[in-house]
């Protein structure tokens, strides 16, 4: 039975944790193991790239280089008996980063950001070999490649991995997050993209399951960083998990679910620090044992309101609005309409100025920032009486700016001012989950 296991940055954040990861990989007989960079590495590399773009001689850069060198050297010295090659590889990695900093160009950021995963996966492969295992390091950009539309070429991924992953007695190790673009240059799948890497690999080799290992016991019913008395959800459907991931559940990258759903591959969310914990299984199966399953929150939401008398008894108006957002490659999260107004939300204001300028030709525009979407997921059947009343009571009087309900029977989304987020999450947890937990 083939398995793909993915481990996040905290899971490989120290020599001790890497040993735990190796034990899990061997116990689970992982076919392909996908690794993030050691915790803290990517943030440091992002800062290096940002500073290098502005000033390649920024004195802070040396401090960041020193931090990365020390972090990986300590790990190598604690983890490996034969350290020479790994220490040499660390020095080579820093040389690559320095070269990109000195001659910073359009491709430098992607190259710099890739180095954490490349170095971490190399060190882990060395440790597996020292532990007496047959381990092979694969280069993810060789088989995860974007096409001209920025979509991953699954046909290439499948064909390449069929050639590479051939021995059931070998542990194949690779990097999450990184890939190549349509021209073969180093690229990446975005922050949190290691989950997506694992799903792509799982789909490509038709794995029996994909396991995502982090430092929490599966998907919780609410955000434990802000809310007391949360609990892990043993089972949930692909659609529910996708909604929660998109609307802020940090344990899972939003894009992860689709490649596994397409092929019917279950995804398990597990805790590296407590491997025996049940965690969460995500599959096609529906859990109808309760109405409300979980809630998640997504910050950084901008509201755009369009007021126009031209909407009244007109057709084609919304098409013009959507075309503007399509032109600026900006997705819409929520939308509500009245006879003479449209309110919608976006989670990226990178092109906000241009969008507003184009929208002004359609009517009066209002912008409102610092909002949060709270998404409640469950069996929210439309014909069920009293559902809205129960949810509104759970909000506990907090002002709502928008509500989106009816697109599916799985979720309801509510927009609130971000300063009310913690209050809303805790109140919903108390009223919908804690009191009614079986």
């Amino acid at each position: 039975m083939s398995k793909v296991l993915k481990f996040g940055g905290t899971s490989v954040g120290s020599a001790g944790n890497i040993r735990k990861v190796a034990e899990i990989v061997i116990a689970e007989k992982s076919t392909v193991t996908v690794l993030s960079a050691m915790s803290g590495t990517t943030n440091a590399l992002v800062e290096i790239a940002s500073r290098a773009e502005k000033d390649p001689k920024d004195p802070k850069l040396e401090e960041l280089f020193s931090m990365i060198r020390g972090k990986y050297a300590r790990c190598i010295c604690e983890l490996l008996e034969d350290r020479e090659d790994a220490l040499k590889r660390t020095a080579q990695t820093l040389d690559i980063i320095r070269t990109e900093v000195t001659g910073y160009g359009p491709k430098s950021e992607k190259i710099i950001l890739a180095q954490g995963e490349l170095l971490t996966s190399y060190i882990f492969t060395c440790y597996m070999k020292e532990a007496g295992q047959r381990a092979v390091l694969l280069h993810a950009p060789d088989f995860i490649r974007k096409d001209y539309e920025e979509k991953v070429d699954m046909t290439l991924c499948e064909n390449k991995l069929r050639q590479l992953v051939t021995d059931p007695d070998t542990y194949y190790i690779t990097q999450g997050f990184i890939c190549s673009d349509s021209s073969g240059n180093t690229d990446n799948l975005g922050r949190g993209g290691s989950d997506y890497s694992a799903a792509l690999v799982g789909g490509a080799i038709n794995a029996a399951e994909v396991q995502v290992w982090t430092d929490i016991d599966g998907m919780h019913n609410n955000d434990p960083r802000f809310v007391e008395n949360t609990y892990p959800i043993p089972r949930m459907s692909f659609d529910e998990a996708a909604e929660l991931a998109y609307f802020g559940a940090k344990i899972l990258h939003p894009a992860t679910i689709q490649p596994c759903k397409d092929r019917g591959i279950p995804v398990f969310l597990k805790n590296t620090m407590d491997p025996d914990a049940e965690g969460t299984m995500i599959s096609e199966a529906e859990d109808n044992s309760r109405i409300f399953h979980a809630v998640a929150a997504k910050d950084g939401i901008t509201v755009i309101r369009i007021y126009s008398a031209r909407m009244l008894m007109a057709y084609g108006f919304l098409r013009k609005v959507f075309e503007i957002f399509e032109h600026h490659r900006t997705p819409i999260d929520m939308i509500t309409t009245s006879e003479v107004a449209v309110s919608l939300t976006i989670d990226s204001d990178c092109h906000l100025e241009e969008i507003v300028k184009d929208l002004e030709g359609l009517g009066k525009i209002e912008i409102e920032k610092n909002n949060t979407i709270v998404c409640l997921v469950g069996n929210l059947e439309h014909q069920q009486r009293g559902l809205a009343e129960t949810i509104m009571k759970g909000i506990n009087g907090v002002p709502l700016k928008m509500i989106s309900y009816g697109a599916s029977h799985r979720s309801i989304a509510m927009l609130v001012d971000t300063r009310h987020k913690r209050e809303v999450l805790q109140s919903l947890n108390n009223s919908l989950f804690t009191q009614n937990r079986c």
Side-chain angles (χ1 to χ4, degrees), residues 15 73 80 119 125 139 180-181 186 209 229 231 247 287 289 323 430:
L80 302 176
L119 185 54
T125 305
H139 187 59
S180 57
D181 64 16
T186 300
E209 62 187 59
N229 300 318
Y231 55 85
F247 284 108
D287 180 6
S289 61
E323 284 176 347
N430 293 343

Side-chain angles (χ1 to χ4, degrees), residues 4 34 154 194-204 210 255-260 263 265 267:
V4 174
V34 178
M154 278 302 296
S194 292
D195 295 344
Y196 190 30
S197 301
L200 292 167
V201 172
V210 171
T256 297
I257 299 301
Q258 199 60 46
C260 294
R263 293 160 179 78
I265 301 171
V267 177

Side-chain angles (χ1 to χ4, degrees), residues 102-407:
T102 302
Y104 198 90
K107 300 174 184 177
S108 294
E109 181 186 25
K110 301 290 180 65
I111 294 172
I112 290 170
L113 297 187
Q115 301 312 309
E117 276 76 13
L118 291 169
L119 185 54
T120 301
S121 57
Y122 176 85
I123 293 169
F124 182 79
T125 305
C126 289
Y127 178 72
M128 289 288 287
K129 289 178 178 178
E130 277 199 358
Q133 306 300 323
R134 187 182 300 170
V136 172
L137 180 61
L138 304 178
H139 187 59
D142 289 344
F143 52 85
I144 299 181
R145 177 175 294 185
K146 295 179 182 178
D147 59 23
Y148 290 101
E149 295 181 345
E150 292 288 296
K151 297 177 181 178
V152 172
D153 186 339
M154 278 302 296
T155 301
L156 181 143
C157 189
E158 291 171 4
N159 292 338
K160 290 278 188 178
L161 282 175
R162 285 197 195 104
Q163 298 170 21
L164 295 169
V165 180
T166 56
D167 184 1
D169 296 321
T170 295
Y171 293 100
Y172 295 94
I173 318 297
T174 194
Q175 310 81 33
F177 176 64
I178 67 173
C179 63
S180 57
D181 64 16
S182 57
S183 300
N185 301 309
T186 300
D187 203 342
N188 62 63
L189 300 170
R191 294 301 292 265
S194 292
D195 295 344
Y196 190 30
S197 301
L200 292 167
V201 172
I205 69 170
N206 197 27
E209 62 187 59
V210 171
Q211 299 178 9
V212 177
W213 291 78
T214 65
D215 57 355
I216 189 171
D217 297 340
M219 184 85 80
H220 277 228
N221 71 304
N222 210 323
D223 195 328
R225 297 171 302 171
F226 303 106
V227 176
E228 297 178 351
N229 300 318
T230 68
Y231 55 85
I233 307 168
R235 297 173 306 283
M236 67 170 50
S237 69
F238 281 119
D239 290 338
E240 288 176 330
E243 292 260 18
L244 289 172
Y246 182 76
F247 284 108
K250 298 299 183 183
I251 193 172
L252 196 65
H253 187 274
T256 297
I257 299 301
Q258 199 60 46
C260 294
K261 180 183 178 182
D262 290 343
R263 293 160 179 78
I265 301 171
V267 177
F268 293 84
L269 308 181
K270 303 282 286 180
N271 187 350
T272 308
M273 310 309 161
D274 186 7
D276 295 328
E278 183 179 3
T280 299
M281 181 181 76
I282 303 169
S283 67
E284 294 286 3
E286 299 277 354
D287 180 6
N288 298 316
S289 61
R290 63 184 67 197
I291 297 173
F292 304 109
H293 290 176
V295 63
K298 186 178 185 180
D299 294 330
I301 303 299
T302 298
V303 180
I304 302 175
R305 294 190 175 90
I306 309 162
Y307 298 94
S308 176
R310 279 179 281 171
M311 285 184 63
L312 190 63
M313 302 295 290
Y315 59 86
F317 187 86
L318 286 178
R319 174 181 57 79
K320 295 175 182 177
V321 172
F322 292 147
E323 284 176 347
I324 290 171
F325 285 88
E326 180 182 8
H327 174 71
H328 294 291
R329 303 174 68 88
T330 301
I332 296 169
D333 288 322
M334 294 175 63
I335 181 168
T336 61
T337 66
S338 72
E339 288 298 320
V340 292
V342 178
S343 293
L344 50 84
T345 69
I346 57 176
D347 64 3
S348 170
D349 58 6
C350 294
H351 302 290
L352 181 60
E353 187 176 335
E354 300 99 306
I355 289 171
V356 170
K357 184 176 180 181
D358 289 348
L359 288 173
E360 284 174 343
L362 300 178
K364 177 186 174 184
I365 309 300
E366 288 183 1
I367 303 297
E368 203 174 301
K369 296 188 176 184
N370 301 318
N371 298 289
T372 295
I373 293 176
V374 176
C375 180
L376 180 63
V377 169
N379 294 311
L380 310 180
E381 296 295 341
H382 299 155
Q383 68 271 22
Q384 188 168 347
R385 291 177 180 268
L387 194 62
E389 181 183 7
T390 301
I391 295 171
M392 291 306 107
K393 284 182 178 178
I395 299 299
N396 197 28
V398 170
L400 294 180
K401 297 184 176 183
M402 287 177 65
I403 301 174
S404 177
Y405 176 57

Side-chain angles (χ1 to χ4, degrees), residues 44-54 61 104 109 112-113:
L45 294 175
V46 168
E47 186 174 354
I48 286 173
S50 176
R51 289 179 178 275
E53 184 178 20
K54 297 172 184 175
L61 290 169
Y104 198 90
E109 181 186 25
I112 290 170
L113 297 187

Side-chain angles (χ1 to χ4, degrees), residues 55-68:
D55 179 9
K57 296 182 180 179
D58 186 332
K60 178 70 174 180
L61 290 169
E62 284 303 323
E63 182 180 327
L64 292 166
F65 290 141
S66 179
M67 185 276 286
I68 293 173

